[in-house]
Amino acid sequence: MIHKQKKNTPNFMFMAFFIMLLGMITGTHNASAFFQDETQQEVEFILYKGEVLDSKTKKPLVFASLAIEESNISTITNAEGEFSIKIPKDASNANVIVSFLGYSTKTISLAQLNKEKNKIMMDISITELPGVDIEVPKNAEALVRDVLKRKGENYFDDPTLMTAFYRETIKKRRKNVSLSEAVVNIYKTPYTSLKKDGVKLYKARKSTDYDKLDTVALKLQGGPFNALFVDIMKYPEYIFSPETMDHYIFKFDHSTRVNDKLIYVVNFEQNSQVLDPLYKGKLYIDAKNKILTSAIYSLNITDKDLAARLFVRRKPRNAQVWPTDVAYRVDYREKNGKWYYSYSNVLLEFKVNWDKRLFNSVYSMTCEMAVTDWKKNLSTEFPKAKDRIKTSIILSDEAIGFADPDFWGQYNIIEPEKSIESAIKKIQRQLRKANSDGGTSIP
C-alpha cells in the first residue's frame, strides 16, 4: 500500500499492517480465472527438486534463478538454497539455465537431473576489466538517470500476462505463526505506461497459529502489491522520483558479473542534510546496455515515531509498535533482448512493547513474489475493477486452509523452507485429527 506524503516529502513504497486484539477470523476463497483455459486438461509435468550451492564452500545460494531454455518457465531457490520446478513432459529434453549474482551461469540438460536431491554447484565468476567496446562511466548518478530513461527500449513494451507465486509469512522471533500463499495473474502494462498493473487472485491458502501471537492478530495489508510495487523500473516514483534524485549520493562499488555479463554496482544513500527518510542500497546495472538487473536496499527508519506512523495502521492502546528493519529486493530477467520483473521480496522486522510487561515481542513479516510463467497479452485484456484485487487486500482473509497437499497442481511455487514446511505439515495433521474426531473440515 502506498502512503501519501506531505508536499515536498517523497512517496513511500511500504507495507501497512494491522495489529489488533485477537478475535474470530474467518476466511473466504476468492478465485478468478487463470490465464490458461481452465476447461483444458491439465498438462502432465515432471517435478525436479534440488539445491544450488557454492562449489567451494558448499553454502546454499539464496534466490538463485532457474529458467527453462526457450520457454518462459522459471523459479528461484528459497532461503535454504532449495528449489522445485515443474516442467511439462513435452519439454523434458530442454535445458535449465541456472544463474546467480557474481557466479558463472550454468546450463544443464534436464536429462542429466534426477527427480529428487540434485546438487547444482556454481563457480564464482572472476570479474574482468571492461573491454574497449564498453565506455566506462565517470558519474554514478548520471548512469542511474540514464538507466531510468532507457526503460522504454530495454524493458517489456507490450502488455504481458504473467503467472506469479506469492508468499507472506509472519514470525515471532524464529517461529512461524502465520503463512499465506497464492498464485496470481499479473496484467503487466508496458514499462512506459503510467497505468498501474492489475492483479487477479487465482488460488490462495493460509495457516495461522494464534497461540503464538501474544493475544494479537497481525495482518498484512496489500498482499501481492507489496512485492509488485518494488519493481523500480515500473514504479520509480516510489524511490527515485524526479524530486528525490538530488537527495541521494551515488558511488561506484566493485563490479561483478551476472549471467556472464559485466555488472556495475552503484551504492546509494541519502544526503545527510536531507531530513526525510529515504533509502540506502545497491543497484546492479548491466555495463553494456545500461539496464538495471537487480537492486537491494533498505529504508532509513532512525526516526522510530515516523516509522511507526508509516507502517502500523492499528494497534492495542497498551502497546508501542515500531519497525526495526525495512528491506527490499528486486530482480529482473531477460528474454529476447527485453527485460522484465522476475522476483521481489520485502522484509519488515518490528518490536511490540506492552505496558506492564517485562519483555517485548519481536516479530518479522516477509512477503515475496516470483514470476513463474508469462505470455504476451495480445488481446490487451485488462480485468474490470470488480475482478481485480485491491491494493488494500488482506490475503489471509481471502484464503482457505492447507487441507489439500496437491493444492497447487501444475503451478510452480517457491520451495518452502523447512520451518514453513513443518508448519504446513502440522496444520494438515491438525485438520486430519479434527476430521477423524467428527469436527468441521476446511475445504
Side-chain angles (χ1 to χ4, degrees), residues 5-180:
Q5 302 294 307
K6 296 180 295 183
K7 189 176 180 181
N8 298 325
T9 303
N11 287 327
F12 285 96
M13 160 187 53
F14 69 90
M15 300 183 291
F17 301 94
F18 285 109
I19 300 177
M20 62 189 75
L21 292 177
L22 176 63
M24 182 60 69
I25 298 176
T26 59
T28 58
H29 184 46
N30 176 17
S32 301
F34 190 61
F35 76 69
Q36 293 180 344
D37 187 351
E38 290 189 332
T39 62
Q40 295 179 353
Q41 186 176 6
E42 288 192 349
V43 177
E44 291 188 16
F45 61 85
I46 301 174
L47 175 63
Y48 297 88
K49 288 189 173 188
E51 299 175 278
V52 179
L53 308 169
D54 180 293
S55 60
K56 290 186 177 180
T57 66
K58 304 301 185 290
K59 290 183 178 180
L61 299 183
V62 180
F63 309 140
S65 171
L66 295 95
I68 302 305
E69 197 171 37
E70 298 183 356
S71 84
N72 302 324
I73 300 171
S74 61
T75 190
I76 65 160
T77 58
N78 65 11
E80 295 164 341
E82 299 170 341
F83 71 88
S84 66
I85 188 166
K86 297 173 182 177
I87 311 298
K89 282 190 174 180
D90 57 8
S92 59
N93 292 324
N95 296 325
V96 59
I97 301 171
V98 188
S99 57
F100 188 78
L101 189 65
Y103 286 72
S104 298
T105 300
K106 181 165 286 189
T107 301
I108 305 170
S109 169
L110 288 173
Q112 295 177 260
L113 296 182
N114 302 314
K115 301 288 182 62
E116 301 275 349
K117 299 181 179 179
N118 294 286
K119 291 186 183 293
I120 299 175
M121 300 296 177
M122 302 288 284
D123 300 318
I124 293 177
S125 176
I126 299 174
T127 304
E128 299 175 359
L129 293 174
V132 294
D133 59 325
I134 296 178
E135 182 180 351
V136 181
K138 295 181 174 60
N139 187 296
E141 180 181 339
L143 174 63
V144 175
R145 289 181 180 272
D146 194 20
V147 168
L148 295 173
K149 286 180 181 178
R150 294 189 182 204
K151 67 179 182 179
E153 60 185 89
N154 288 329
Y155 294 81
F156 275 2
D157 54 2
D158 291 320
T160 307
L161 197 46
M162 295 176 166
T163 310
F165 176 74
Y166 173 79
R167 174 185 289 140
E168 60 186 47
T169 61
I170 301 173
K171 292 184 179 182
K172 181 182 177 184
R173 298 195 185 273
R174 295 185 178 182
K175 294 183 179 179
N176 286 291
V177 295
S178 181
L179 168 67
S180 299

Side-chain angles (χ1 to χ4, degrees), residues 252-311:
F252 283 108
D253 202 338
H254 297 292
S255 298
T256 184
R257 303 192 79 86
V258 62
N259 293 341
D260 298 326
K261 296 179 180 179
L262 181 66
I263 300 295
Y264 292 136
V265 181
V266 175
N267 295 332
F268 66 95
E269 62 182 0
Q270 73 180 79
N271 191 311
S272 60
Q273 297 178 349
V274 176
L275 299 180
D276 293 322
L278 295 176
Y279 300 91
K280 175 183 180 179
K282 294 179 181 291
L283 304 173
Y284 297 86
I285 298 171
D286 180 284
K288 184 176 182 180
N289 298 306
K290 310 299 189 295
I291 296 166
L292 180 69
T293 65
S294 203
I296 301 172
Y297 54 104
S298 59
L299 179 64
N300 174 4
I301 52 172
T302 52
D303 187 331
K304 185 171 72 174
D305 294 333
L306 175 58
R309 291 197 299 271
L310 286 172
F311 289 92

Side-chain angles (χ1 to χ4, degrees), residues 176-400:
N176 286 291
V177 295
S178 181
L179 168 67
S180 299
E181 298 178 325
V183 170
V184 298
N185 299 333
I186 303 173
Y187 291 77
K188 195 77 174 164
T189 57
Y191 273 80
T192 53
S193 172
L194 297 178
K195 185 177 182 180
K196 286 184 166 54
D197 303 325
V199 180
K200 290 177 71 174
L201 185 64
Y202 173 60
K203 273 190 173 186
R205 66 180 187 176
K206 66 175 181 181
S207 73
T208 304
D209 186 352
Y210 288 113
D211 291 338
K212 297 175 182 174
L213 278 176
D214 270 349
T215 70
V216 297
L218 288 82
K219 292 186 178 182
L220 170 62
Q221 184 180 358
F225 288 102
N226 291 310
L228 188 59
F229 287 158
V230 184
D231 182 354
I232 293 176
M233 296 307 299
K234 176 64 178 175
Y235 303 103
E237 63 270 23
Y238 299 143
I239 178 170
F240 296 133
S241 67
E243 295 78 18
T244 62
M245 280 293 289
D246 292 333
H247 296 171
Y248 287 102
I249 297 173
F250 297 88
K251 295 180 179 179
F252 283 108
D253 202 338
H254 297 292
S255 298
T256 184
R257 303 192 79 86
V258 62
N259 293 341
D260 298 326
K261 296 179 180 179
L262 181 66
I263 300 295
Y264 292 136
V265 181
V266 175
N267 295 332
F268 66 95
E269 62 182 0
Q270 73 180 79
N271 191 311
S272 60
Q273 297 178 349
V274 176
L275 299 180
D276 293 322
L278 295 176
Y279 300 91
K280 175 183 180 179
K282 294 179 181 291
L283 304 173
Y284 297 86
I285 298 171
D286 180 284
K288 184 176 182 180
N289 298 306
K290 310 299 189 295
I291 296 166
L292 180 69
T293 65
S294 203
I296 301 172
Y297 54 104
S298 59
L299 179 64
N300 174 4
I301 52 172
T302 52
D303 187 331
K304 185 171 72 174
D305 294 333
L306 175 58
R309 291 197 299 271
L310 286 172
F311 289 92
V312 181
R313 286 304 177 90
R314 194 187 305 171
K315 67 178 182 64
R317 290 184 178 180
N318 62 331
Q320 290 181 310
V321 186
W322 70 92
T324 57
D325 189 18
V326 183
Y328 305 84
R329 178 191 178 109
V330 61
D331 295 328
Y332 295 89
R333 186 174 291 125
E334 182 265 345
K335 181 70 181 291
N336 297 329
K338 293 287 186 178
W339 291 72
Y340 63 96
Y341 163 77
S342 169
Y343 172 79
S344 62
N345 66 44
V346 185
L347 163 69
L348 181 122
E349 294 180 347
F350 61 96
K351 288 185 178 180
V352 180
N353 264 359
W354 297 93
D355 295 345
K356 299 179 181 179
R357 289 195 191 181
L358 183 60
F359 300 104
N360 58 28
S361 301
V362 180
Y363 294 94
S364 64
M365 306 180 87
T366 60
C367 67
E368 61 181 336
M369 186 159 66
V371 173
T372 57
D373 204 354
W374 60 267
K375 69 177 183 179
K376 292 295 182 184
N377 188 2
L378 299 177
S379 65
T380 66
E381 174 192 1
F382 199 84
K384 296 180 180 179
K386 64 182 180 65
D387 298 322
R388 303 194 303 267
I389 64 174
K390 298 179 180 179
T391 55
S392 58
I393 186 176
I394 297 174
L395 182 63
S396 60
D397 287 350
E398 303 293 327
I400 62 175

